[in-house]
Amino acid sequence: KQIELGPESPLRKKRFLYGVATASFQIEGSADTRLPCIWDTFCRQPGNISDGSNGDIACDHVRLWQQDLTLLTTLRVDAYRFSVSWPRVMHQNGEINEQGMAFYVRLLNALNQLGIKPFVTLYHWDLPQHLEDAGGWLNRETAYQYQRYVEAVCLAFRGKVYSYATFNEPFCSAHLGYELGVHAPGKTGRRNGRQAAHHILLAHGLGMQTLQRLSPDTLNGIVLNFTPCYSATESQDDIEAAEKADQYINQWYLMPVMEGCYPEIYRQLPPSERPDVLAGDMDIICQPLDFLGINFYTRLTYSAPLSPGEFYTEHEHRFPQTDIGWEIYPEALTDLLLTLNLRYRLPPVYITENGAAVEECFEQGEIDDSQRTAYFEQHLLALEAAMAQGVDVQGYFAWSLLDNFEWAEGFSKRFGLVYVDYASQQRIIKHSGKAYQALLSSRV
Ligand code: GBH
């Protein structure tokens, strides 16, 4: 199975950038050579991770990174998106961990030597545990600590980076981590979720200011995840519920960043559930972006709330799902890009993550994952449709280079273009990886 795009597709042009993405906690291992983070703690509380695993070893990438860079050349990617582990590069007293920083400097040097553009994510969920002990993202001070960390990274990486993203998916950190409690640090409550979101957004703004000052020549922005919200029926109640869900899970993060305000639904929260917002915060959050990173996996369908005080209820899926239970609905990517483009003055967009956990069949050392290849093809076609209607999309990153630690799913769900045998740490390029490579090398 190949990825078939039309001969004239803009996605087959050399100037369209292709990459693969990873995140520090999900691949690095070598947990003993950095500070503990909130995910180390979360993994150790029984019941949080479906297979009881943790990130102590993961893909052993800190030791096998050279081998993993070879995979990037084999796949022929233009860019590699990875994240820096804050607890690996900073000591608890705020000083730089030189050994940890040196790991990334070696990685960056090697990427530059190979001609692969480094897209650096500064925060992909691994908050140092000592900061969580002081309140984590519920504590405003964490935003200022984050800014100091960004400053240290910028100075150490000077001249080696193509793009910086301040955060990956504030939704996940805030909503899943501090509101629903299904991600680290496992806190709950609407006010907690919204307060964590606000401090993360504030940290984004402070981080952008630091990037503008210390790294003005890199492409600086943020990565947000979007789960487009559809209504279950055409009834007014369901449409309204879907609209509210969209404000609550998607626009809550985009609107402050782009326009310096929270969506309408903010005012519908009872005061006891609203976050503390200080004068001037919204102006800090709303910094000009060089790019917007969009992570897209699935959509959700909503109907009217069942109980008072709620805004919506999630409706059951109607279309086929991936192995992780997410509906496959590529049109939502087209709809999303067109809607955002109409509603906002978007900077250039990069799809910074897209991918699927699917069933794979292992035969004679080959991994047949044709469903994943089909998923990529469908989503690239959906992207192409949006671009044909005027959306400025500059690049696409497949999630993920490697099978890795899939958060609350542990190692039970695989998203890689490359298979990882966790017993031997052997890597095997899957059929989808070969299809991706074929697409990338066929560009004109
Ligand atoms: C990304 O998060 C992460 O950045 C990455 O680290 C991770 O490995 C990857 O995705 C795969 O999970 O569960 O039906 O309600 C994506 C997070 C996924 C959150 C879709 C919202 C809604 C679907 N998003 N999810 S559902």
Side-chain angles (χ1 to χ4, degrees):
K1 166 104 190 87
Q2 296 298 315
I3 300 171
E4 317 267 6
L5 304 175
E8 291 307 315
S9 170
L11 295 181
R12 293 203 46 218
K13 300 277 187 265
K14 286 218 170 85
R15 66 166 177 277
F16 189 80
L17 179 142
Y18 280 99
V20 289
T22 63
S24 47
F25 190 84
Q26 296 180 272
I27 64 166
E28 283 185 355
S30 295
D32 53 343
T33 58
R34 57 160 173 78
L35 292 178
C37 75
I38 54 175
W39 274 92
D40 297 310
T41 311
F42 192 69
C43 288
R44 269 155 190 87
Q45 295 156 354
N48 286 339
I49 312 298
S50 69
D51 60 2
S53 61
N54 57 55
D56 287 1
I57 301 172
C59 305
D60 209 7
H61 170 76
V62 164
R63 295 188 312 154
L64 302 176
W65 64 276
Q66 282 166 308
Q67 196 179 312
D68 293 336
L69 292 204
T70 307
L71 291 168
L72 297 176
T73 10
T74 309
L75 291 174
R76 305 263 222 137
V77 294
D78 309 308
Y80 175 49
R81 174 173 178 253
F82 66 95
S83 79
V84 174
S85 162
W86 181 352
R88 188 176 293 290
V89 299
M90 300 300 283
H91 288 300
Q92 187 159 343
N93 63 8
E95 280 167 26
I96 294 170
N97 179 334
E98 299 291 349
Q99 260 126 45
M101 202 65 100
F103 167 70
Y104 296 107
V105 170
R106 280 197 297 276
L107 188 76
L108 287 166
N109 286 341
L111 287 168
N112 285 308
Q113 225 145 48
L114 295 168
I116 298 171
K117 293 183 169 69
F119 277 63
V120 173
T121 301
L122 291 161
Y123 185 89
H124 200 126
W125 311 355
D126 40 3
L127 184 73
Q129 180 61 41
H130 67 94
L131 293 177
E132 181 58 36
D133 296 339
W137 289 113
L138 299 177
N139 181 356
R140 187 178 172 90
E141 174 59 20
T142 302
Y144 299 100
Q145 294 288 338
Y146 170 83
Q147 189 175 31
R148 277 174 220 127
Y149 150 69
V150 173
E151 189 172 313
V153 169
C154 265
L155 293 173
F157 292 3
R158 211 199 317 250
K160 301 178 194 291
V161 172
Y162 185 83
S163 163
Y164 280 112
T166 53
F167 281 85
N168 178 71
E169 303 186 343
F171 162 88
C172 290
S173 296
H175 189 78
L176 304 181
Y178 288 85
E179 189 160 335
L180 301 184
V182 295
H183 276 191
K187 295 196 171 146
T188 54
R190 177 171 281 159
R191 184 164 188 288
N192 280 343
R194 301 296 122 177
Q195 189 67 69
H198 184 68
H199 289 150
I200 291 171
L201 289 165
L202 178 66
H204 156 75
L206 296 168
M208 283 302 295
Q209 291 177 336
T210 297
L211 290 168
Q212 283 150 14
R213 190 163 57 85
L214 298 180
S215 188
D217 298 330
T218 49
L219 197 66
N220 302 326
I222 187 168
V223 170
L224 301 179
N225 63 296
F226 288 87
T227 310
C229 301
Y230 290 76
S231 64
T233 72
E234 288 307 302
S235 84
Q236 209 45 51
D237 287 357
D238 288 355
I239 292 174
E240 207 174 289
E243 162 63 26
K244 286 184 177 173
D246 181 54
Q247 290 185 24
Y248 200 70
I249 71 173
N250 297 317
Q251 309 305 325
W252 194 278
Y253 306 91
L254 182 62
M255 228 174 146
V257 162
M258 296 292 299
E259 297 180 341
C261 56
Y262 281 113
E264 172 57 29
I265 200 166
Y266 177 92
R267 280 166 285 279
Q268 294 172 29
L269 293 177
S272 64
E273 293 184 341
R274 286 186 205 158
D276 291 333
V277 176
L278 302 193
D281 283 2
M282 300 316 285
D283 290 339
I284 295 173
I285 293 170
C286 178
Q287 297 295 320
L289 304 178
D290 300 330
F291 81 101
L292 174 66
I294 292 183
N295 292 355
F296 176 87
Y297 290 91
T298 187
R299 69 149 184 184
L300 281 167
T301 306
Y302 292 91
S303 43
L306 296 175
S307 44
E310 296 299 321
F311 296 121
Y312 47 79
T313 46
E314 253 177 52
H315 198 264
E316 67 204 23
H317 294 340
R318 290 171 178 161
F319 284 79
Q321 304 165 22
T322 63
D323 207 25
I324 208 167
W326 301 347
E327 202 179 73
I328 304 173
Y329 196 79
E331 299 93 291
L333 178 58
T334 313
D335 292 350
L336 168 71
L337 292 168
L338 292 176
T339 315
L340 293 182
N341 200 39
L342 268 182
R343 169 66 188 72
Y344 293 94
R345 279 179 57 107
L346 293 181
V349 167
Y350 286 78
I351 304 300
T352 33
E353 284 179 31
N354 176 236
V358 301
E359 283 187 39
E360 318 184 330
C361 130
F362 200 112
E363 229 178 288
Q364 293 163 330
E366 298 260 316
I367 293 113
D368 181 347
D369 60 341
S370 52
Q371 288 183 62
R372 179 173 289 111
T373 310
Y375 181 96
F376 286 135
E377 183 182 69
Q378 289 162 7
H379 287 79
L380 286 167
L381 289 168
L383 185 56
E384 188 185 295
M387 288 167 73
Q389 292 171 74
V391 187
D392 178 15
V393 184
Q394 303 270 347
Y396 174 93
F397 291 80
W399 182 269
S400 177
L401 170 64
L402 302 169
D403 289 338
N404 59 47
F405 177 79
E406 180 47 36
W407 307 113
E409 308 286 342
F411 295 101
S412 69
K413 297 287 182 266
R414 294 175 178 268
F415 275 86
L417 293 176
V418 176
Y419 178 86
V420 176
D421 177 337
Y422 294 111
S424 65
Q425 288 299 343
Q426 202 199 347
R427 277 80 163 127
I428 304 169
I429 300 183
K430 301 178 191 176
H431 285 182
S432 62
K434 292 182 182 170
Y436 200 57
Q437 169 197 55
L439 168 68
L440 272 49
S441 23
S442 75
R443 282 175 296 163
V444 288

